[in-house]
């Protein structure tokens, strides 16, 4: 996905470091992602989820909370309400840039934070909220802190370890965390909520999801992330969670960009990456791109992939239609197509192309499936492959006419 660096100014006077994952094609909504406790925007789960959402057309911003990753400020003196304030600042940036309501997505403690942020932002700015492995009580995170919390209460601050990393926490951080009652806020949300949680989560038990779900008002949904770990270290689990959330959120997100489908042919529009484009037919749309080795984002097939696909699919359809009409036992076919930019060595009619011309070819290899086919039937079906309309178009006298649209 195309990634844009974003800097967010907070009312506290420091800057947050953000990364905006943009869809290759049209933007169909915007989302703000909140990472887990002491994680950063560069954690595996944060990257995988935000990029998967972008692949579904949702521009998604992830940012480091105060004092974490590339963000300024003191994490040890911030606390949960500071995380919520950070989300409010980031949400304003998204709303101003894309307009309309946004989706809030939070992972672990970030899930609790987006619920609290949604409560403060309200329905005018938030279209829907989704959580991944979120705790139902914010003080729950204090159980993951290794250190003498009583000493911090007594002396005002102290050294602790969280997830193997050293931090200096203040008494204000502890007080801030303990005073948050999330379950009291959720019933007043009046915003669509999706709760996703792994039943085998070893850090935040699935019972937290049950409490969140019961507290929320309809419309609300629950999706089990069976087999996933708490940090979503498996990209497949992160992609599944993001895909479900994206499909669910489309019901509530307004399309930021619209584009009427063509009555015939295709319409192509440049996207947000270096080469990425979105292709629309009368009833479908898909992405075309270039591989990363050519400077693209590899979010879709290349133009030559599409050209090869046009010949391959037309070939398969033509052979099947012919075999069906004949009543022959063709069980299917496989058509492999490759493009070659210069095949002078094997070309037996290159003199017809003119001196210095680069001769190109599409190489097609066909496998027919069906043990009951006779040799004669196989030969005839292969012969019919050359009759496919795309094949005839490519080998005919094809002209491309270009004009400027008004």
């Amino acid at each position: 996905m195309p990634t844009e660096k974003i800097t967010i100014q907070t009312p506290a006077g420091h800057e947050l470091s953000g990364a905006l994952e943009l869809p290759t094609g049209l933007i169909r909504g915007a989302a703000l992602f909140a990472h887990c406790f002491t994680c950063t925007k560069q954690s595996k789960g944060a990257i995988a989820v935000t990029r998967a959402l972008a692949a579904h057309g949702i521009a998604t911003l992830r940012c480091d909370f105060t004092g974490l990753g590339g963000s300024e400020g003191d994490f040890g003196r911030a606390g949960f309400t500071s995380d919520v304030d950070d989300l409010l600042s980031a949400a304003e940036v998204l709303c101003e840039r894309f307009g309309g309501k946004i989706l809030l997505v939070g992972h672990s403690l970030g899930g609790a934070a987006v619920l609290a942020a949604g409560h403060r932002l309200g329905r005018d700015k938030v279209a829907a909220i989704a959580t991944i492995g979120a705790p139902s009580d914010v003080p729950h995170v204090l159980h993951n802190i290794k250190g003498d919390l009583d000493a911090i209460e007594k002396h005002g601050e102290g050294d602790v370890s969280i997830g193997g990393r050293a931090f200096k926490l203040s008494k204000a951080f502890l007080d801030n965390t303990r005073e948050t009652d999330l379950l009291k806020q959720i019933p007043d949300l009046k915003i669509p909520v999706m709760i996703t949680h792994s039943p085998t989560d070893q850090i935040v038990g699935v019972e937290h999801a049950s409490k969140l779900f019961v507290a929320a008002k309809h419309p609300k949904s629950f999706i089990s992330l069976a087999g996933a770990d708490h940090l979503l270290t498996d990209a497949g689990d992160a992609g599944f969670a993001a895909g479900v959330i994206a499909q669910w959120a489309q019901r509530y997100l307004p399309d930021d960009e619209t584009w009427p489908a063509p009555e015939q042919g295709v319409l192509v529009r440049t996207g947000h990456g270096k080469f990425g484009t979105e292709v629309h037919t009368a009833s479908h749309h898909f992405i075309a791109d270039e591989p990363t080795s050519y400077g693209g984002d590899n979010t879709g097939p290349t133009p030559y992939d599409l050209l090869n696909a046009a010949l391959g699919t037309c070939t398969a359809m033509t052979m099947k239609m012919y075999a069906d009409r004949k009543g022959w036992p063709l069980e299917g076919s496989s058509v492999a197509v490759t493009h070659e930019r210069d095949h002078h060595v094997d070309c037996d009619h290159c003199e017809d192309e003119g001196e210095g011309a680069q001769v190109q070819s599409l190489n097609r290899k066909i496998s027919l499936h069906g043990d009951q086919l006779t040799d004669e039937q196989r030969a005839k079906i292969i012969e019919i492959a050359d009759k496919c309309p795309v094949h005839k178009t490519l080998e005919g006298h094809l002209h491309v006419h270009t004009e400027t649209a008004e």
Side-chain angles (χ1 to χ4, degrees), residues 311-321 323 329-336 364-370 373 378 381-382 385:
L311 177 60
T313 53
C314 185
T315 298
M317 293 176 186
T318 300
M319 294 188 302
K320 184 178 187 305
M321 181 177 65
L330 174 66
E331 297 175 3
S333 64
S334 299
V335 183
R364 181 174 54 186
K365 184 177 292 186
I366 300 173
S367 298
L368 300 180
H369 311 307
L373 286 170
R378 287 178 178 274
I381 291 173
I382 293 295

Side-chain angles (χ1 to χ4, degrees), residues 70-374:
S71 291
E72 299 174 344
D74 186 350
F75 169 80
R77 297 185 180 279
F80 183 75
T81 57
S82 175
D83 291 349
V84 176
D85 289 340
D86 290 346
L87 291 177
L88 299 182
S89 298
E92 293 296 336
V93 170
L94 276 182
C95 290
E96 182 178 347
R97 175 160 175 174
F98 296 104
K101 300 179 180 181
I102 64 172
L103 167 69
L104 299 181
V105 182
H107 179 204
S108 191
L109 187 64
V114 296
L115 289 168
H119 183 264
R120 291 175 60 181
L121 288 167
R123 289 181 292 172
D124 291 340
K125 294 183 178 179
V126 180
I129 301 174
T131 66
I132 304 171
S136 57
D137 64 307
V138 174
H140 172 83
V141 302
L142 298 180
H143 299 306
N144 298 321
I145 298 176
K146 294 182 179 180
D148 192 341
L149 302 189
D150 290 336
I152 295 175
E153 293 278 4
K154 181 178 180 180
H155 300 294
E157 65 178 15
D159 296 324
V160 299
S161 174
I162 308 173
R165 298 166 58 196
F167 293 93
K168 185 180 287 293
L169 294 189
S170 67
K171 180 178 182 300
F173 182 102
L174 301 180
D175 292 341
N176 181 306
T177 303
R178 287 172 176 151
E179 290 168 2
T180 302
D181 191 344
L182 187 63
L183 292 178
K184 266 189 178 179
Q185 300 175 18
I186 293 177
D188 297 327
L189 272 178
K190 299 178 182 177
I191 295 171
V193 174
M194 171 177 276
I195 310 294
T196 69
H197 211 111
S198 170
T200 54
D201 192 322
Q202 298 298 309
I203 297 178
V204 180
V206 72
E207 67 275 8
H208 288 271
S210 299
K211 292 178 182 178
L212 291 173
F213 186 80
V214 170
K217 301 298 183 183
H218 284 291
K220 58 182 177 179
S221 304
F222 174 78
I223 294 294
S224 174
L225 304 179
D229 61 25
H230 180 72
L231 293 178
L232 293 181
T233 54
D234 186 293
D237 292 330
F240 170 76
V244 170
I245 291 170
Q247 291 296 329
W248 167 80
Q250 289 292 357
R251 188 177 186 89
Y252 307 105
L253 283 172
D255 283 352
D256 282 355
E257 297 185 52
T258 57
W259 196 16
E263 294 183 2
Q264 58 183 355
V266 301
L267 278 176
V268 176
R269 182 171 174 179
T270 54
H272 298 90
K274 185 175 181 180
F275 296 113
T277 59
E278 183 158 327
V279 183
H280 282 239
T281 71
S283 55
H284 300 281
H285 62 84
F286 55 90
I287 297 297
D289 203 346
E290 290 286 358
T292 53
S293 58
Y294 283 88
D297 294 299
N298 198 36
T299 56
T302 71
Y304 276 106
D305 288 338
L306 298 176
L307 178 64
N308 293 343
L311 177 60
T313 53
C314 185
T315 298
M317 293 176 186
T318 300
M319 294 188 302
K320 184 178 187 305
M321 181 177 65
Y322 181 80
D324 288 347
R325 189 165 65 236
K326 290 290 188 178
W328 293 349
L330 174 66
E331 297 175 3
S333 64
S334 299
V335 183
V337 183
T338 58
H339 171 252
E340 186 179 346
R341 293 183 185 275
D342 198 333
H343 71 302
H344 279 95
V345 174
D346 298 325
C347 181
D348 58 2
H349 58 276
C350 291
E351 63 275 4
D352 298 332
E353 303 297 335
E355 187 176 350
Q358 183 189 61
V359 181
Q360 301 189 49
S361 68
L362 294 179
N363 305 312
R364 181 174 54 186
K365 184 177 292 186
I366 300 173
S367 298
L368 300 180
H369 311 307
D371 294 338
Q372 302 303 314
L373 286 170
T374 66

